[in-house]
Amino acid sequence: MVLQKSVVRLQGLVDSAVEVVRPIIDKCEQALEVRVPAEDVWVEVDAVRLSQVLGNLLNNASKFTPRGGSIAIEARVAPEGLEISVADDGVGIAPELLGSVFDLFSQADSSLDRAQGGLGIGLSLVKGLVEMHGGVVTARSAGPGKGSRFSIRLPLAVITAPGPVPKGDVPAIGEHARRVLVVEDSADAAEAMELLLNQLGHDVRVVNDGARAVEAARAFRPDVILLDIGLPGVDGYELARRFRALDETSGARVIAVTGYGQPSDRARSSAAGFDHHLVKPVDPAKLAAAIRAPLAA
C-alpha cells in the first residue's frame, strides 16, 4: 500500500471525519465536542486514509457509549508531534484487554456488549494506517464503565507549510463516485468497509446475508458489488451467478472480498462471474482502484 500524501488543513481532516459519523452520533443523542487549534495547522498526510482513521475512532466511540453520552475529539500540536485523541464516557475497556484491542478481530468480553459487534477489524485498520504515517496509536481506559481514550501521535515532520489544496478540502473522487453494495456477514468488517467507502465518496448500501442481497441489489442497482464468498446459506459464488443473471446487476462490477486466496479459489471466483478477487485484509488502495476503474459502457 502506498500513501497518497498531500498538504491539507488539520481542521478539514477533522471536519471530514465528523461529517461522516455525525448522523450516527445524532441518532444516539450523544454530545460531540470538537477541539482543534484556533490557528491553521497544515499537515502532509494521506488525507483520505487519515480521515478514515478518525472516522473509525469516532464510530467506535459512539458504538460503545450509551444514548445521551459524551464524545470528544481533540487535536493539538505538542513538542513530540501532532496528537489527536477521541475520548468517550462509555462502557470502557478492561485492563487485560487494552493490549489486544488493535489485534485483527479482537473481541472484548460481554462488558462491551457483544451484540454491538466487538472491537473488530476497524481498530486493526486504524493501527496499520497510523503506523504507515510514522505514528503510533494507543488506547487508555480506567476500566469497565469508565470510558475510553484512543490517541494518535504523528511525528512533527507531518506538520508543514500551506500547500495548493483549498482550505478545508480533503481530496475526493468526484466523477469516480459509485453506487456500491457490500455483502458481508461480519458486522465489524461490513462497518469498517462502509466507513472507508463513505470516506472515498461512494454511495454505499450494506447487507449482512445472501438471502437479502438479491432484493437489495434489484432496488439499489449498484455499479459495484463487494461480495464475501464465505456467507452462510447462499454463498458468494452462487450470488455472483445470480447477479450476472439479473437485468439490474448484469453489468455491475462484482468484486470478491474474501479470506480465500488460493489459486483454485481465484479460478472458481472467475468462473462464477467475479471481475476481481481481493483477499482480506484488503489493501485499501487496491480496493479503491478496483472500484473507481472505468465502468463498462
Side-chain angles (χ1 to χ4, degrees), residues 1-17:
M1 185 192 308
V2 179
L3 295 180
Q4 302 296 321
K5 290 186 178 181
S6 59
V7 177
V8 296
R9 199 167 57 121
L10 176 61
Q11 178 76 60
L13 284 174
V14 174
D15 287 347
S16 177

Side-chain angles (χ1 to χ4, degrees), residues 237-262:
Y237 298 121
E238 175 59 27
L239 278 176
R241 286 187 283 267
R242 293 185 186 182
F243 288 140
R244 287 297 177 225
L246 288 174
D247 289 341
E248 296 88 345
T249 55
S250 60
R253 179 174 299 123
V254 184
I255 302 173
V257 181
T258 176
Y260 303 128
Q262 296 300 314

Side-chain angles (χ1 to χ4, degrees), residues 88-205:
D88 63 70
D89 59 1
V91 300
I93 305 172
E96 64 271 18
L97 296 172
L98 282 172
S100 63
V101 294
F102 297 103
D103 294 343
L104 187 64
F105 297 119
S106 66
Q107 292 279 351
D109 63 14
S110 58
S111 67
L112 286 187
D113 188 2
R114 294 296 287 274
Q116 291 281 350
L119 297 176
I121 195 172
L123 289 180
S124 176
L125 183 62
V126 163
K127 181 175 183 289
L129 293 177
V130 170
E131 289 178 349
M132 288 181 65
H133 282 85
V136 294
V137 57
T138 57
R140 295 174 57 192
S141 175
K146 298 182 179 180
S148 305
R149 177 183 292 271
F150 289 84
S151 299
I152 298 165
R153 178 175 294 171
L154 299 175
L156 282 171
V158 305
I159 302 173
T160 186
V165 180
K167 288 187 177 183
D169 282 357
V170 172
I173 60 172
E175 69 273 16
H176 296 299
R178 306 284 188 240
R179 294 188 307 276
V180 183
L181 176 66
V182 177
V183 186
E184 169 62 68
D185 65 321
S186 166
D188 282 331
E191 184 177 10
M193 184 69 73
E194 183 177 16
L195 280 170
L196 170 60
L197 296 175
N198 281 330
Q199 291 285 357
L200 293 174
H202 299 298
D203 184 7
V204 186
R205 298 292 185 276

